[in-house]
Amino acid sequence: MSSTPGSTYTHGYGESVQRSYLARTAENSAAYLLPHLRPGQDLLDVGSGPGTITAGLAARTAPGRLVALELAPEALDQTRAGLTRAGSDLAHRAELLLGDVHALDLPDDSFDVVHAHQVLQHVADPVAALREMIRVTRPGGVVAVRDADYASFAWYPENPGLEKWAGYYQAAARANGGEPDAGRRLLAWARAAGATDVVATSSTWCYADPEARQLWGGSWADRILQSSIATQLVDEKLADPEDLVEVSQAWQAWAAEEDGWFNIVHGEVLVRVR
């Protein structure tokens, strides 16, 4: 796979990152796909992360084949742990695969459902990745992709520190070869990959109660100081450590706001493979 484009996961795999990911479920992160699932389908989950979405999708497609794909061994370890927490039967049923979505080591027409959540924003060539996902999907099957659109994020109250955070994230993601505003581009990428039957939608996450604000704001307050993105921002001189402390404090202040509100917009595409 050395001749294929690489992928760099901007967030990394630290505890502060995983903390917020554990709240993701099939219901709150893949609702657009759920009506298309049925028992016995073979499922590939690209970028399975902590396995919380994977488990929900797999429960609906059992007893079909389940393959979870990750780029890094530590990420695959997190998938294994998550599926084990979800149930021993699920953990035993799952095939855990290390690989690059740009060049899947899987035969054509292998799956009925191929799913990727928050993946294409990080890859070097999202169109090539989609072509691979389509290639391994059987005719009549579906490819389902959902990605955030960072430039569409909105929050209240206004907070200069969060404005800085948004700029830092955009800079880090693009320095890694990613596209943080992937959500709005998914339809175009799917069409460029050769898809002809595509339904494009959008949905949101909203953090507006104390528990949700602490989950999102608390995670980022830690992440901006102790995670892969924090290291990158300092090492590449995109920010000074003092700047990151200011951003962390801004996240803490936002999370403590009784009127605090944060909206995350996602693009979604559902490709029916011909």
Side-chain angles (χ1 to χ4, degrees), residues 8-11 21 24 28-30 32 45-49 53 70 101 115-123 133 144-150 153 169 179-183 186 189 203-205 207 216 264-268:
T8 299
Y9 190 51
T10 298
H11 299 285
Y21 290 6
R24 299 176 180 179
N28 67 29
S29 301
Y32 71 108
D45 194 18
V46 176
S48 47
I53 300 174
E70 268 293 357
V101 68
H115 169 262
H117 186 261
Q118 313 296 355
V119 171
L120 293 191
Q121 63 186 278
H122 298 290
V123 306
M133 294 169 71
V145 176
R146 185 176 192 249
D147 270 276
D149 192 287
Y150 276 75
F153 288 10
Y169 184 82
E179 175 47 75
D181 302 335
L186 294 182
W189 288 344
S203 61
T204 66
W205 290 331
Y207 300 93
W216 183 241
I264 297 180
V265 175
H266 299 86
E268 302 158 345

Side-chain angles (χ1 to χ4, degrees), residues 53-264:
I53 300 174
T54 315
L57 301 179
R60 290 166 170 82
T61 57
R65 181 186 182 194
L66 168 61
V67 178
L69 178 87
E70 268 293 357
L71 184 65
E74 57 264 49
L76 208 59
D77 288 342
Q78 290 167 349
T79 299
R80 182 179 293 106
L83 294 179
T84 299
R85 285 192 298 270
S88 58
D89 291 346
L90 182 59
H92 290 143
R93 178 176 143 224
E95 303 170 43
L96 303 183
L97 181 65
L98 276 175
D100 185 345
V101 68
H102 294 102
L104 295 171
D105 188 17
L106 293 162
D108 295 356
D109 305 338
S110 294
F111 299 93
D112 303 296
V113 181
V114 177
H115 169 262
H117 186 261
Q118 313 296 355
V119 171
L120 293 191
Q121 63 186 278
H122 298 290
V123 306
D125 189 340
V127 173
L130 275 164
R131 286 196 191 103
E132 277 292 271
M133 294 169 71
I134 292 169
R135 177 184 67 78
V136 301
T137 305
R138 296 175 182 129
V142 294
V143 174
V145 176
R146 185 176 192 249
D147 270 276
D149 192 287
Y150 276 75
S152 300
F153 288 10
W155 59 84
Y156 182 84
E158 293 183 8
N159 187 316
L162 297 194
E163 295 286 352
K164 281 190 173 182
W165 163 80
Y168 291 151
Y169 184 82
Q170 290 268 357
R174 290 202 160 89
N176 286 333
E179 175 47 75
D181 302 335
R184 69 188 67 188
R185 291 171 165 82
L186 294 182
L187 175 59
W189 288 344
R191 288 168 52 80
T196 56
D197 186 346
V198 189
V199 175
T201 54
S202 66
S203 61
T204 66
W205 290 331
C206 185
Y207 300 93
D209 61 72
E211 183 178 358
R213 283 194 297 270
Q214 188 53 51
L215 173 68
W216 183 241
S219 169
W220 266 109
D222 293 341
R223 203 187 307 189
I224 201 65
L225 297 179
Q226 298 177 345
S227 72
S228 294
I229 189 172
T231 302
Q232 178 191 356
L233 287 169
V234 174
D235 288 351
E236 297 182 5
K237 301 188 185 308
L238 298 171
D240 295 325
E242 296 79 8
D243 297 322
L244 301 188
V245 170
E246 179 186 346
V247 171
S248 177
Q249 292 171 345
W251 274 113
Q252 291 170 347
W254 173 84
E257 284 278 359
E258 290 185 356
D259 297 327
W261 179 92
F262 202 105
N263 194 59
I264 297 180

